[in-house]
Amino acid sequence: MTAQLTHDDPRLGLRPAEARADDPLTGVAMRLLGDALTDSGDGCVCAPALGVPVRLLALRRGADLIHVLNPRLSSLSDLHLNRAETRPQTGPVQRHAWRARRVTLAGTQPGGLPLSLDLDGPLAIAVQQAVELLDNRDAFSWVTPFHRAWLRATDAPVRARARAINHGLHRPDGAALRLLDDRRVQVLSDDGTPLGVIDALNPAMPVEGWARRCLGLLCATSALRHVMVTGPAHLPLAIAALALVPGLTVHHPAVGWPLAAMQALDLGAAFRPAQLSDAAPDAPRLDAIVAGADDEWLHGPEALARIRHAGRRLSGDGGVLLIHGTGPLPAIRDLLQAAFPAVHAVLDGDATFLVATKARLDLGVAHARVQAIVNRTDQQPLLAAGCTGWQTVPRS
């Protein structure tokens, strides 16, 4: 079978010309399409998918090979969400797309006579995909930076992790992951409590604003080798970090963590149970700890001692404690100043993000760190999330 172009080939963005029976380019396209459909089984291919910018498609239905010049869909019925749809141009990448189970394909035969075909099932979906390439110069706008980084990767573990995340988010079972619409997947705790939402097409970029900001700040300040998150609601953030940095290990509480969601995404090897109170000498040093301002360990008479212990768990001079919450958080800010040499605040609307570091932070280096990750992953929102709004908290 003739190979189809991949989604990033610039020839797919060319505007196809009208097909004419007396046009030599149309004749070339017809021969190529015939070669592409020599295999047995129903199928449909359009000329742009083979690099020929002509409004022409061919479909095989049983033993019949049918060429359709200047095709259009004159009717569509029985719309449904076609789950985990794949495309020849994007290989293993999946998405949920609204498709019609039955369509009427209209156009012209090579001899000039009008043509109308009623199609259903997989052939109807294949025709809709082919017409998308003919009608839309940006037919793969849904291919996100997560997909591009995955498809470009040459490292087997990187590709395996991206494939596992993609597969799990597009086949939610309802017990651990619930599909809300064509993009949003809700993560559930093991007892069915909703924890957050993940973008199935771009899981490396959190949906919630607070999680997006946390991810940007982590990229700016942390080496992102070992990161601890202190609550189950941080799972979407953890998945985003794992999709962004495949070498990362996420440490999480032993109790209450959504194990079923980890298994659904095949990410068990990337997580490790741990407690902030761990004092074992072989416990790994943490590059970052992420906590919510409402976490119990940040309140009460022992809060300062626990924060100091968390500081000792951090690695060298580069470890950071990141706490997020609503409002100015004056009590937590004072505790952090008593335990850490430097504290920064990032304000984002009503939300406050406190970044406590074991050494004074060089914001120029932080910006360069984020820029390097953006250059590698093309996740542009990380720049604003990690590099804007910084304020040094003065000593009170």
Side-chain angles (χ1 to χ4, degrees), residues 45-391:
V45 183
C46 67
L50 304 181
V52 186
V54 176
R55 292 191 59 80
L56 173 71
L57 66 77
L59 59 90
R60 179 172 292 281
R61 186 167 59 174
D64 298 328
L65 177 64
I66 305 169
H67 289 94
V68 185
L69 280 63
N70 305 314
R72 70 185 189 282
L73 296 176
S74 60
S75 72
L76 302 93
S77 60
D78 196 5
L79 288 174
H80 73 291
L81 191 62
N82 193 39
R83 299 192 178 194
E85 175 180 297
T86 59
R87 300 286 292 271
Q89 286 78 19
T90 52
V93 171
Q94 300 168 337
R95 70 159 175 163
H96 305 308
W98 288 99
R99 299 296 186 194
R101 287 190 174 92
R102 289 182 290 275
V103 302
T104 299
L105 176 66
T108 305
Q109 299 179 43
L113 295 176
L115 179 69
S116 180
L117 297 172
D118 293 324
L119 306 169
D120 58 16
L123 194 53
I125 292 175
V127 166
Q128 291 170 73
Q129 293 178 341
V131 171
E132 274 186 356
L133 284 182
L134 292 171
D135 292 343
N136 187 353
R137 297 185 72 182
D138 192 12
F140 300 100
S141 59
W142 53 273
V143 175
T144 66
F146 167 74
H147 299 130
R148 291 193 290 270
W150 167 20
L151 296 173
R152 286 196 302 256
T154 57
D155 188 81
V158 172
R159 295 181 66 86
R161 177 170 292 181
R163 183 188 289 267
I165 294 174
N166 176 80
H167 184 276
L169 291 176
H170 285 86
R171 287 174 172 77
D173 58 9
L177 303 168
R178 178 185 298 153
L179 184 64
L180 299 181
D181 54 33
D182 59 342
R183 290 192 66 154
R184 296 183 305 147
V185 176
Q186 188 176 59
V187 182
L188 306 174
S189 66
D190 289 350
D191 62 5
T193 304
L195 296 177
V197 175
I198 302 172
D199 182 350
L201 285 184
N202 196 14
M205 188 53 56
V207 174
E208 286 93 346
W210 68 265
R212 182 172 297 196
R213 177 66 87 164
C214 283
L215 182 62
L217 297 176
L218 287 175
C219 291
T221 59
S222 170
L224 290 176
R225 294 175 300 242
H226 293 274
V227 174
M228 175 179 282
V229 296
T230 61
H234 289 112
L235 179 62
L237 170 63
I239 291 170
L242 288 168
L244 201 66
V245 185
L248 173 67
T249 298
V250 175
H251 302 256
H252 62 84
V255 178
W257 189 252
L259 300 177
M262 287 169 46
Q263 294 168 358
L265 295 168
D266 195 20
L267 289 174
F271 289 98
R272 184 178 300 173
Q275 300 293 335
L276 274 172
S277 58
D278 286 347
D282 59 343
R285 290 282 186 169
L286 302 170
D287 298 297
I289 299 171
V290 183
D294 295 332
D295 286 7
E296 291 185 5
W297 68 278
L298 293 172
H299 303 275
E302 300 299 320
L304 180 57
R306 289 191 286 262
I307 289 175
R308 283 176 171 157
H309 177 75
R312 289 192 290 272
R313 294 290 311 279
L314 294 171
S315 60
D317 292 334
V320 299
L321 173 57
L322 171 59
I323 299 173
H324 62 91
T326 303
L329 310 179
I332 294 177
R333 180 195 61 201
D334 292 344
L335 291 173
L336 292 177
Q337 286 189 312
F340 285 84
V343 179
H344 292 80
V346 177
L347 306 181
D348 189 350
D350 294 334
T352 298
F353 301 83
L354 297 174
V355 182
T357 61
K358 300 179 73 173
R360 190 163 298 278
L361 186 64
D362 186 328
L363 294 181
V365 172
H367 183 100
R369 213 176 240 177
V370 179
Q371 186 66 64
I373 294 177
V374 171
N375 291 343
R376 177 172 54 82
T377 65
D378 198 29
Q379 296 284 358
Q380 294 294 330
L382 285 176
L383 278 176
C387 301
T388 61
W390 285 88
Q391 300 177 13

